[in-house]
């Protein structure tokens, strides 16, 4: 392990200084596209203003015989498209694949100045982040980059979950972590065949109704579906928060089931995630809606903050006690709203209108 004194030292002579804090840039949806798929790549210029992050995917979902085409497509897209304020990320191939090294050796010199974040799949421990960290530093130095490329890990192996805290704190480059429910299910030998979301068989059942003498009777016993991902998302959120990096829900594979997608995204939002992946254009609007706090919540948060003055003590608002802790919760909501409003004029107007309504009450 690096000494605390060395943690922020560049890992190669001439590499840019590591960031001391992960910059918070809206990333409600990380929109995946296959840069080697001409139809998808053609949509990137019109998608750029609609999404917070565009991710050129080189790993799973890109056929093995199209890996080079995807890499070349990403270089072309990065050069040709004006992304404005939208971030450009890539997901490289996994570190045990024949393509990962060439992904980095090509992308950093060719388009390193445009790449904000490299997503690393199937991370098993801090050693994987250390490998990418040093390699990026060498390549950045060689390419003369002045801004460090950040790293995002996918939590999708049992070993990775067991080591999630050390992964989150492995490098100042760590920007965030996404849950990868599909590979994680396989790695854990879960008996599911879906990409994220719930499963109707993962349930608890109510006790049998008592019969006259107190023994179990024969009446109906309602069942309640449980959340397969609660434990992992909560653990990931804690690891990320403890290390000042950002947690995300990953993919939801049932593209047509927009309702269940929205539910999955909202659970992740409420638990602390800042965004999710969109795999298809139909999921972009869902993520935008879910990962932006509602105007009502923002108006309420601003009201509590105003009433709490310096943020200490206790006040009553509409019958509810507010104190230092609720003030901090409200700051989370209001600060997120401010960051999103700065990027999204429609949202800014909705927040302003709701706040004015709350103040007029
Ligand atoms: C599970 C673990 C993981 O690793 S998840 C991450 C890896 N998977 C991915 O990145 C999948 C990305 N998405 C896709 O490949 C496609 O959306 C899939 C799911 C195959 C559906 O494609 P398709 O059958 O063409 O859908 P569609 O006919 O409804 O498409 C309508 C038009 O939209 C386009 N489109 C589709 N997806 C995207 C996308 N992600 N980004 C940009 N454009 C997309 C289609 O090409 C289609 O275009 P057009 O109207 O024919 O010109
Ligand atoms: O890469 C994502 C996953 O769910 O696997
Ligand atoms: Mg995966």
């Amino acid at each position: 392990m690096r000494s605390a004194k060395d943690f922020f030292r560049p890992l190669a002579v001439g590499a840019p200084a590591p960031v001391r804090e992960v910059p918070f840039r809206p990333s409600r949806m990380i929109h995946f596209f296959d840069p080697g798929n001409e139809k998808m790549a053609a949509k990137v210029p019109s998608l750029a203003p609609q999404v917070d992050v565009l991710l050129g995917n080189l790993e799973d979902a890109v056929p093995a015989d199209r890996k080079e085409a995807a890499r070349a497509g990403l270089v072309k897209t990065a050069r040709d498209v004006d992304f404005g304020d939208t971030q450009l990320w890539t997901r490289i191939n996994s570190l045990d694949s024949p393509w990962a090294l060439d992904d980095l050796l090509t992308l950093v010199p060719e388009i390193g100045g445009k790449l904000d974040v490299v997503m690393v799949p199937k991370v098993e421990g801090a050693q994987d982040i250390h490998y990418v960290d040093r390699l990026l530093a060498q390549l950045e130095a060689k390419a003369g980059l002045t801004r460090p490329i950040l790293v995002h890990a996918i939590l999708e192996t049992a070993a990775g979950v067991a080591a999630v805290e050390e992964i989150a704190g492995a490098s100042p480059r760590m920007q965030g972590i996404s849950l990868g429910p599909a590979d994680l299910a396989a790695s854990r030998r879960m008996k599911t065949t879906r990409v994220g979301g719930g499963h109707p068989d993962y349930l608890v059942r109510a006790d049998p109704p008592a019969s006259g003498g107190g023994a179990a009777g024969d009446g109906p016993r309602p069942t309640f579906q449980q959340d397969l991902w609660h434990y992992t998302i909560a653990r990931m959120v804690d690891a990320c928060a403890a290390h000042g990096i950002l947690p995300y829900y990953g993919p939801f594979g049932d593209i047509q089931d927009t309702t269940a997608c929205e539910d999955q995204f909202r659970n992740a939002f409420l638990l602390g995630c800042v965004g999710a992946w969109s795999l298809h254009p139909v999921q972009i609007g869902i993520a935008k809606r879910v990962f932006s706090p509602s105007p009502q919540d923002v108006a309420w948060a601003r009201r509590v903050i105003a009433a709490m003055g310096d943020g200490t003590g206790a006040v009553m608002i509409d019958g509810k006690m507010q104190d230092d802790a609720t003030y901090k919760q409200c700051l989370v909501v209001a600060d997120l709203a401010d960051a999103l409003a700065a990027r999204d004029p429609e949202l800014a107007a909705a927040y302003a209108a709701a706040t004015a309504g709350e103040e007029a009450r």
Side-chain angles (χ1 to χ4, degrees):
M1 207 180 86
R2 263 192 283 174
S3 142
K5 291 198 294 275
D6 290 337
F7 193 65
F8 291 104
R9 242 195 8 216
L11 286 177
V13 176
V19 292
R20 298 228 155 215
E21 256 181 60
V22 174
F24 182 81
R25 296 180 65 187
S27 44
R28 294 164 290 183
M29 72 299 293
I30 302 168
H31 183 75
F32 273 58
F33 70 99
D34 173 352
N37 175 322
E38 280 173 17
K39 266 187 170 178
M40 276 197 211
K43 294 213 163 29
V44 167
S46 61
L47 284 175
Q50 299 175 44
V51 301
D52 294 334
V53 178
L54 273 161
L55 180 145
N57 176 36
L58 307 181
E59 200 226 8
D60 292 356
V62 174
D65 63 356
R66 300 282 305 156
K67 294 291 187 186
E68 273 87 13
R71 197 188 291 140
L74 180 55
V75 170
K76 182 171 167 19
T77 300
R79 287 204 179 125
D80 293 353
V81 176
D82 176 6
F83 293 93
D85 285 345
T86 299
Q87 299 180 60
L88 177 65
W89 295 20
T90 186
R91 178 169 80 167
I92 59 168
N93 285 285
S94 63
L95 300 179
D96 61 354
S97 76
W99 306 291
L101 183 60
D102 284 340
D103 290 343
L104 290 174
L105 291 181
T106 304
L107 297 179
V108 178
E110 298 282 344
I111 56 165
K114 281 196 136 182
L115 268 184
D116 292 293
V117 175
V118 168
M119 182 183 273
V120 183
K122 302 178 177 66
V123 171
E124 303 215 304
Q127 68 279 7
D128 290 339
I129 303 301
H130 294 158
Y131 169 78
V132 173
D133 197 6
R134 177 79 74 172
L135 188 52
L136 282 175
Q138 292 171 335
L139 293 169
E140 286 167 346
K142 195 169 169 208
L145 298 184
T146 51
R147 182 186 59 127
I149 297 170
L150 301 185
V151 169
H152 182 108
I154 312 182
L155 194 61
E156 54 180 352
T157 66
V161 175
V164 65
E165 289 84 7
E166 66 171 57
I167 293 168
S171 158
R173 276 186 207 276
M174 282 299 296
Q175 177 274 344
I177 301 183
S178 286
L179 173 75
D183 271 302
L184 183 56
S187 170
R188 281 178 171 162
R189 305 184 68 74
M190 290 166 67
K191 308 303 180 292
T192 57
T193 56
R194 302 175 171 205
V195 177
H199 194 292
D201 294 344
Y202 192 67
L203 51 79
V204 292
R205 189 178 300 275
D207 284 355
S211 66
D218 286 336
R221 298 172 59 186
T223 59
F224 307 92
Q225 195 171 320
Q226 305 293 295
D227 182 355
L228 280 169
W229 303 109
H230 177 83
Y231 155 76
T232 319
I233 294 179
R235 192 159 170 203
M236 176 183 73
V237 167
D238 284 343
C240 288
H243 287 278
I245 69 171
L246 304 172
Y248 298 77
Y249 177 77
F252 187 86
D254 192 341
I255 306 291
Q256 289 183 352
D257 193 348
T258 49
T259 304
C261 176
E262 179 154 348
D263 292 339
Q264 177 69 77
F265 284 6
R266 184 162 290 107
N267 287 348
F269 173 68
L270 290 171
L271 274 180
C273 291
V274 298
W277 301 1
S278 53
L279 302 183
H280 185 280
V282 77
Q283 294 182 335
I284 293 172
I286 302 174
K288 192 175 277 191
R289 188 162 62 246
V290 169
F291 290 100
S292 309
S294 73
Q296 295 70 29
D297 283 351
V298 174
W300 170 259
R302 287 177 175 164
R303 187 172 160 204
V304 172
I305 291 166
M308 280 293 295
D310 72 353
T312 65
V315 295
M316 188 80 134
I317 306 181
D318 293 353
K320 297 181 183 69
M321 189 281 300
Q322 309 299 326
D323 71 3
D324 310 45
T326 59
Y327 173 79
K328 287 177 197 154
Q329 290 180 65
C330 289
L331 281 182
V332 170
V333 172
D335 288 349
L336 175 59
D338 288 345
L340 298 177
R343 178 173 167 78
D344 189 333
E346 237 176 77
L347 209 50
Y351 289 158
T355 303
E358 185 79 37
E359 281 166 2
R361 282 191 337 119

